[in-house]
Amino acid sequence: MHVPDVSVVVIAYNDAERLPAAVRSVLEQTLHGVEVVIVDDCSKDDTFTVAQALAAENPDRVRAFQLPENSGGCGAPRNHGIRHATGTYVMFLDSDDVLERNACRNMLDAAESTGSDLVSGLCVRVHLDSRHKKTTEWYPWLYARTRTIESITELSDLLVFDTLSTNKCYRRAFLLEQGLEFPVGIHYEDLLFSAQAYVAARRITLIPNHVYYWNVQEKAAAKSISNRRHEIANFVHRMEIHRRVDALLESKGYDELKYRKDIKFLKHDLVLHLRDLPLLGDDYRREFARLANGYLAEIDPRAYEEVQRMHAICAYLLSKEDWPNLLPATDALTNPGRLTVPLAERDGQVYWCAEHLDTEQGRQILDVTSSHYDAKPLTSLALGNRLTSYSGRDGVVRLAGRVVNPLGRIRPDAELGAVLEFSARRSVGGRTARIPVATLRHAGAWIEWEGEADIARTVRPLGIIDAVWDVRLILTVDGQDLRTRVSVGGAPVDEADSLRIRPRLTKLVSDRFVPQVTRKGNLSYVLTAEGRAAVRTTAMIEGAMHGRTARLAKTSLRRLLRAKKDLNSGETKLRVYHEVYSRLPIRKGLVVFESHLGKQYSDSPRAVYEEMRRQGVTFGAVWSYSGAKPTGFPEDATLVKRWSWPYLRALAQAEFWIDNQGFPLRLTKRPGTTYIQTWHGTALKRMGFDEPHTKSRGLAAQASFQQALDRFDHFLIRGEHDRRTLARAFRLRDEVLLPVGYPRNDSLVEARREEARTGRRERGPLAAELGIDPEKKILLYAPTFRAAPGGKVRAFEAPFDIEEFADRFGDTYTLLIRTHYLNSVSLPPAVRGRVVDVSRLHDVTPLLALADGLITDYSSVMFDYGLLDRPMVFFAYDYEEYARENRGTYFDLKEHAPGPVVATEDELFGVIANLPDEADSKYAAARQRFNADFSEYDRGDAARRIVTTFFTGSGK
């Protein structure tokens, strides 16, 4: 008898409708040596009859079994399937999911080629409730490439995060030898089974292929086990499974695995249940706390330091059973970024609450200083707004609530105003209703409000598309609008308190507004038909919904929504740019400026723009910006959002493009447009086609990149080093290069000349704006860009102790910290006044001119600052990693640096203690050589020469 390569155990319970699709996904595998073992968990419907029919239709490939009584979980039927499987390998499939067509073949090939006991592939969650069946990959970073490990200790994240049993293929002999079975009579059996399999496996292989489609239906009438978190038994089972896994890891001495699992428990498993606490009763909360705190007591204390601040705060407050502070914290978990408490300030530090600050652990966990709630503009804070009372009758709703006033930042004398806003979540030509709030007052740590809305008169829904309406309170403080969602909180909102409405189309579809609480705990309303309208039209609507007219209406609506989406897609914009906008006439004198992909008004494009204004050039100025709102851009220019329709049209009709990084790569420049690329820095690290990453890309990708670079008509260089590096790396023709220097550096060259002429250093107004003591010298710390693993942007962490710096040198120096524009930094309040974050200032050039000395690592600002002939210190604490493991460098910084290169904090502080001698006079000659080697064309007239050449002189 032929032994199947793979046995797929398909378990089912009361799922007659979906079982055939699951089985079909196995039978249609590209690997033919696959058998199906269906195990029905004693269903009450026709599931087993369907299973028997499938077996009869495929007698050589499908077998069906039924348990004598329902087990209430997945463990018993899967164990039954293992016992009856005959394949060399075993996989598991739930009846409501399906396998990817090549899953068995890919997993078998991996297992056979590596000799692995277990092969795991990429699971894809399919959200059936979403309009377009959205898909999300399950921990894809684990499956970025094929890899084989000899022990789970080599990849602890696999055990911690991927606890599924269904996206895996197991050697059946391995399961039998190890006696591996699912626990029975307890939920979350996958967690324990997977842990046992991971620990026992002698070799594990991961493949990057999709293997399993996990169909998720959160709105299903019968909730899955994982979606029944409101049942305390659910949490009891979760805790028991975790304890069993912990015991397994401890028995093997896998302390590091246990620690990593503790971290995941705090930021995932516990969070799933915490989010539901505000909507559950006191009895549930007390029992939940008892169960959770018994387990939290066993968590490694270090785990609290590895999770997001709000996760740690919630776990800590739960351990104290501090419900008044915990429930607002869980609201902040559900609504990330929302500030739900007034905060407390002690000794310059900001804490989540005023309680529990009498212990070191409490102060450490509750410290939220790094979130800058005390310094961020109020308009950038999502202030919590909780209902305190609610009632609705005869079309009129009365609401009252209170908005967080963090640290009393909304002053008692502030001018206040507020409106309630009702807006449709989906609307075609819909209206937003705004109703003034009658009562608004200061109440200590809160702003209290009361309002009344006549829904029947003021809210006019269309009645078909706009089925869900959200409620917001817009609080105006001294003329600034603060938008807040209205959280239900503890106020009773009864769905029976429906409100009469008057739809603009017809009452046949809806005549009531029913209050509901969203999944995130916010107040919303749903349109429905009740009363006489419902009785009168139910049959009519039921018939109409399935008739020809309804089908045409639905089809038209889908087309409309699809067209709206397609209209704003990237591909549509590219097509319109090339086929429509690029056929419009070029507008003489139209110049589009962009700096750092629209993130700033800065750098050489700014210097050229301002020189054009100084010389009185007549031109049409357009600046691009990215983000929600442009800040810091000139008022005498037209501002267009990057990738918007006006942006694309401006680029298509512009006579000149001027930027320092690159306009969108796929936009073709017209022959009548002149592209002046100012670039943004001399190269230390390898660029363009010299980068290993670029070299590894396919020929098509390299050709596309080269085509984008070929758009440059002129490329500014500041020295022959640029010709040897940047120009070669970008494969630029020699005639494209403009050896005029960087316009942004004109002011630095002039500052050096003026200082040499007068013997004085003028600080200018910026120092006063930053609040810098005129008696102190200024050091600027400007490191290069730092990315998280995978290239993601991350918050910058200073590689030296900022508080230690402030304590040692704060009486002599003010330290300015300027991170790369893609990074951000968080400073402790204790250094306020001695250390200043200047990362938000668009233009770094004025900061360079202000600084008496520069601390950097590998940033190209070293070449700009060298023009000032002032001390530089290079804190290259990770030089070997940067130079060797990053993308390589064009020269050895240690050989050419015009200042000391240090690798440790002690060395850095030692150099600073001896400034200016250590990094000034000792390196004066080195700075001259540095400028001659890298900046010989920076003569202070770059902007003037460009304007004269292209806009006012003979070159125009």
Side-chain angles (χ1 to χ4, degrees), residues 33-64:
V34 181
E35 73 163 354
V36 183
V37 179
I38 305 173
V39 182
D40 172 50
D41 197 10
C42 198
S43 296
K44 298 177 181 178
D45 66 355
D46 295 330
T47 298
F48 187 56
T49 302
V50 171
Q52 289 176 311
L54 290 167
E57 293 169 9
N58 305 274
D60 298 329
R61 301 189 66 191
V62 179
R63 289 178 290 142

Short mmCIF file of all heavy atoms in Angstrom, two decimals, residues 33-64:
data_model
loop_
_atom_site.label_atom_id
_atom_site.label_comp_id
_atom_site.label_asym_id
_atom_site.label_seq_id
_atom_site.Cartn_x
_atom_site.Cartn_y
_atom_site.Cartn_z
N GLY A 33 0.59 13.29 -3.40
CA GLY A 33 0.61 12.27 -2.37
C GLY A 33 0.12 12.80 -1.03
O GLY A 33 0.84 12.75 -0.02
N VAL A 34 -1.12 13.27 -1.01
CA VAL A 34 -1.69 13.87 0.20
C VAL A 34 -3.01 13.19 0.52
O VAL A 34 -3.86 13.00 -0.37
CB VAL A 34 -1.92 15.40 0.01
CG1 VAL A 34 -2.49 16.00 1.28
CG2 VAL A 34 -0.63 16.09 -0.39
N GLU A 35 -3.20 12.80 1.78
CA GLU A 35 -4.48 12.25 2.22
C GLU A 35 -5.16 13.21 3.19
O GLU A 35 -4.50 14.02 3.83
CB GLU A 35 -4.30 10.89 2.89
CG GLU A 35 -3.68 10.96 4.28
CD GLU A 35 -3.89 9.68 5.09
OE1 GLU A 35 -4.61 8.78 4.63
OE2 GLU A 35 -3.31 9.60 6.20
N VAL A 36 -6.47 13.11 3.28
CA VAL A 36 -7.26 13.93 4.19
C VAL A 36 -7.87 13.03 5.25
O VAL A 36 -8.51 12.02 4.95
CB VAL A 36 -8.40 14.67 3.44
CG1 VAL A 36 -9.16 15.57 4.41
CG2 VAL A 36 -7.84 15.48 2.28
N VAL A 37 -7.65 13.41 6.52
CA VAL A 37 -8.27 12.71 7.64
C VAL A 37 -9.22 13.69 8.32
O VAL A 37 -8.79 14.61 9.01
CB VAL A 37 -7.21 12.21 8.64
CG1 VAL A 37 -7.88 11.50 9.81
CG2 VAL A 37 -6.20 11.30 7.96
N ILE A 38 -10.52 13.51 8.07
CA ILE A 38 -11.52 14.40 8.67
C ILE A 38 -11.93 13.82 10.02
O ILE A 38 -12.26 12.63 10.13
CB ILE A 38 -12.77 14.54 7.77
CG1 ILE A 38 -12.39 15.01 6.37
CG2 ILE A 38 -13.76 15.51 8.40
CD1 ILE A 38 -13.55 15.01 5.39
N VAL A 39 -11.91 14.68 11.05
CA VAL A 39 -12.37 14.25 12.37
C VAL A 39 -13.46 15.22 12.81
O VAL A 39 -13.20 16.40 13.03
CB VAL A 39 -11.22 14.22 13.39
CG1 VAL A 39 -11.75 13.71 14.74
CG2 VAL A 39 -10.08 13.36 12.91
N ASP A 40 -14.67 14.69 12.92
CA ASP A 40 -15.81 15.49 13.35
C ASP A 40 -15.97 15.36 14.87
O ASP A 40 -16.03 14.26 15.41
CB ASP A 40 -17.08 15.01 12.64
CG ASP A 40 -18.33 15.69 13.19
OD1 ASP A 40 -18.30 16.93 13.28
OD2 ASP A 40 -19.27 14.98 13.56
N ASP A 41 -16.06 16.50 15.54
CA ASP A 41 -16.14 16.51 17.01
C ASP A 41 -17.59 16.35 17.47
O ASP A 41 -18.11 17.16 18.24
CB ASP A 41 -15.53 17.80 17.55
CG ASP A 41 -15.19 17.72 19.03
OD1 ASP A 41 -15.25 16.61 19.60
OD2 ASP A 41 -14.88 18.77 19.62
N CYS A 42 -18.24 15.31 16.97
CA CYS A 42 -19.63 14.98 17.33
C CYS A 42 -20.55 16.17 17.10
O CYS A 42 -21.22 16.67 18.02
CB CYS A 42 -19.71 14.51 18.79
SG CYS A 42 -21.24 13.60 19.17
N SER A 43 -20.61 16.60 15.84
CA SER A 43 -21.43 17.75 15.49
C SER A 43 -22.91 17.46 15.65
O SER A 43 -23.36 16.30 15.57
CB SER A 43 -21.16 18.17 14.04
OG SER A 43 -19.84 18.60 13.87
N LYS A 44 -23.70 18.52 15.82
CA LYS A 44 -25.15 18.40 15.94
C LYS A 44 -25.84 18.66 14.61
O LYS A 44 -27.05 18.49 14.50
CB LYS A 44 -25.67 19.36 17.00
CG LYS A 44 -25.12 19.08 18.40
CD LYS A 44 -25.62 20.12 19.40
CE LYS A 44 -25.05 19.86 20.79
NZ LYS A 44 -25.50 20.89 21.78
N ASP A 45 -25.08 19.13 13.63
CA ASP A 45 -25.69 19.40 12.31
C ASP A 45 -25.25 18.29 11.34
O ASP A 45 -24.95 17.17 11.75
CB ASP A 45 -25.30 20.79 11.81
CG ASP A 45 -23.80 20.89 11.51
OD1 ASP A 45 -23.06 19.92 11.79
OD2 ASP A 45 -23.38 21.95 11.00
N ASP A 46 -25.19 18.59 10.05
CA ASP A 46 -24.90 17.59 9.03
C ASP A 46 -23.40 17.49 8.72
O ASP A 46 -23.03 16.95 7.66
CB ASP A 46 -25.65 17.93 7.74
CG ASP A 46 -27.16 17.83 7.91
OD1 ASP A 46 -27.59 17.01 8.76
OD2 ASP A 46 -27.88 18.55 7.20
N THR A 47 -22.57 17.98 9.58
CA THR A 47 -21.14 18.00 9.28
C THR A 47 -20.61 16.60 8.98
O THR A 47 -19.89 16.39 7.98
CB THR A 47 -20.35 18.63 10.44
OG1 THR A 47 -20.77 19.99 10.60
CG2 THR A 47 -18.85 18.60 10.16
N PHE A 48 -20.94 15.62 9.82
CA PHE A 48 -20.37 14.29 9.59
C PHE A 48 -20.95 13.65 8.32
O PHE A 48 -20.25 12.92 7.61
CB PHE A 48 -20.62 13.39 10.80
CG PHE A 48 -19.93 12.06 10.71
CD1 PHE A 48 -18.55 12.00 10.51
CD2 PHE A 48 -20.64 10.87 10.77
CE1 PHE A 48 -17.89 10.77 10.42
CE2 PHE A 48 -19.99 9.65 10.67
CZ PHE A 48 -18.61 9.60 10.49
N THR A 49 -22.19 13.96 8.02
CA THR A 49 -22.78 13.45 6.78
C THR A 49 -22.02 14.00 5.58
O THR A 49 -21.72 13.27 4.61
CB THR A 49 -24.26 13.85 6.69
OG1 THR A 49 -24.95 13.33 7.83
CG2 THR A 49 -24.89 13.33 5.42
N VAL A 50 -21.69 15.31 5.64
CA VAL A 50 -20.90 15.92 4.56
C VAL A 50 -19.53 15.28 4.50
O VAL A 50 -19.00 14.99 3.41
CB VAL A 50 -20.79 17.44 4.78
CG1 VAL A 50 -19.80 18.06 3.80
CG2 VAL A 50 -22.15 18.11 4.66
N ALA A 51 -18.92 15.01 5.67
CA ALA A 51 -17.60 14.39 5.71
C ALA A 51 -17.64 13.01 5.07
O ALA A 51 -16.73 12.62 4.30
CB ALA A 51 -17.11 14.31 7.15
N GLN A 52 -18.68 12.23 5.38
CA GLN A 52 -18.80 10.89 4.80
C GLN A 52 -18.97 10.95 3.29
O GLN A 52 -18.42 10.12 2.55
CB GLN A 52 -19.98 10.16 5.44
CG GLN A 52 -19.74 9.75 6.89
CD GLN A 52 -20.97 9.12 7.51
OE1 GLN A 52 -22.08 9.66 7.42
NE2 GLN A 52 -20.79 7.96 8.14
N ALA A 53 -19.72 11.97 2.84
CA ALA A 53 -19.92 12.12 1.39
C ALA A 53 -18.60 12.45 0.70
O ALA A 53 -18.31 11.94 -0.40
CB ALA A 53 -20.95 13.21 1.13
N LEU A 54 -17.80 13.28 1.32
CA LEU A 54 -16.49 13.63 0.74
C LEU A 54 -15.59 12.40 0.69
O LEU A 54 -14.84 12.20 -0.28
CB LEU A 54 -15.83 14.74 1.58
CG LEU A 54 -16.49 16.12 1.48
CD1 LEU A 54 -15.95 17.05 2.57
CD2 LEU A 54 -16.22 16.75 0.11
N ALA A 55 -15.66 11.57 1.73
CA ALA A 55 -14.86 10.34 1.75
C ALA A 55 -15.33 9.38 0.66
O ALA A 55 -14.51 8.71 0.00
CB ALA A 55 -14.95 9.68 3.12
N ALA A 56 -16.66 9.31 0.46
CA ALA A 56 -17.19 8.42 -0.57
C ALA A 56 -16.79 8.88 -1.96
O ALA A 56 -16.54 8.07 -2.86
CB ALA A 56 -18.71 8.36 -0.45
N GLU A 57 -16.72 10.20 -2.16
CA GLU A 57 -16.35 10.75 -3.46
C GLU A 57 -14.86 10.55 -3.74
O GLU A 57 -14.43 10.51 -4.91
CB GLU A 57 -16.68 12.24 -3.52
CG GLU A 57 -18.17 12.54 -3.49
CD GLU A 57 -18.45 14.03 -3.29
OE1 GLU A 57 -17.46 14.81 -3.34
OE2 GLU A 57 -19.61 14.40 -3.06
N ASN A 58 -14.06 10.47 -2.68
CA ASN A 58 -12.61 10.35 -2.84
C ASN A 58 -12.10 9.21 -1.95
O ASN A 58 -11.37 9.43 -0.97
CB ASN A 58 -11.92 11.66 -2.44
CG ASN A 58 -12.45 12.87 -3.20
OD1 ASN A 58 -11.99 13.16 -4.30
ND2 ASN A 58 -13.42 13.56 -2.61
N PRO A 59 -12.49 7.97 -2.26
CA PRO A 59 -12.23 6.85 -1.35
C PRO A 59 -10.75 6.57 -1.10
O PRO A 59 -10.39 6.04 -0.06
CB PRO A 59 -12.91 5.67 -2.05
CG PRO A 59 -12.98 6.07 -3.49
CD PRO A 59 -13.18 7.55 -3.49
N ASP A 60 -9.89 6.92 -2.05
CA ASP A 60 -8.46 6.64 -1.88
C ASP A 60 -7.71 7.77 -1.17
O ASP A 60 -6.54 7.60 -0.83
CB ASP A 60 -7.81 6.40 -3.25
CG ASP A 60 -8.40 5.19 -3.95
OD1 ASP A 60 -8.81 4.24 -3.24
OD2 ASP A 60 -8.47 5.20 -5.19
N ARG A 61 -8.41 8.90 -0.96
CA ARG A 61 -7.69 10.06 -0.42
C ARG A 61 -8.33 10.66 0.81
O ARG A 61 -7.69 11.45 1.50
CB ARG A 61 -7.58 11.14 -1.51
CG ARG A 61 -6.85 10.67 -2.77
CD ARG A 61 -6.60 11.84 -3.69
NE ARG A 61 -5.67 12.80 -3.10
CZ ARG A 61 -5.45 14.01 -3.60
NH1 ARG A 61 -6.08 14.41 -4.70
NH2 ARG A 61 -4.59 14.83 -3.02
N VAL A 62 -9.59 10.35 1.08
CA VAL A 62 -10.29 10.98 2.21
C VAL A 62 -10.88 9.92 3.11
O VAL A 62 -11.54 8.97 2.63
CB VAL A 62 -11.41 11.92 1.71
CG1 VAL A 62 -12.14 12.56 2.90
CG2 VAL A 62 -10.85 13.01 0.79
N ARG A 63 -10.64 10.06 4.40
CA ARG A 63 -11.28 9.20 5.39
C ARG A 63 -11.96 10.09 6.43
O ARG A 63 -11.44 11.18 6.75
CB ARG A 63 -10.26 8.29 6.09
CG ARG A 63 -9.72 7.19 5.18
CD ARG A 63 -8.66 6.34 5.88
NE ARG A 63 -7.44 7.08 6.09
CZ ARG A 63 -6.67 6.97 7.18
NH1 ARG A 63 -7.05 6.18 8.18
NH2 ARG A 63 -5.54 7.64 7.29
N ALA A 64 -13.10 9.65 6.95
CA ALA A 64 -13.87 10.46 7.89
C ALA A 64 -14.10 9.69 9.18
O ALA A 64 -14.46 8.51 9.16
CB ALA A 64 -15.21 10.86 7.26
#
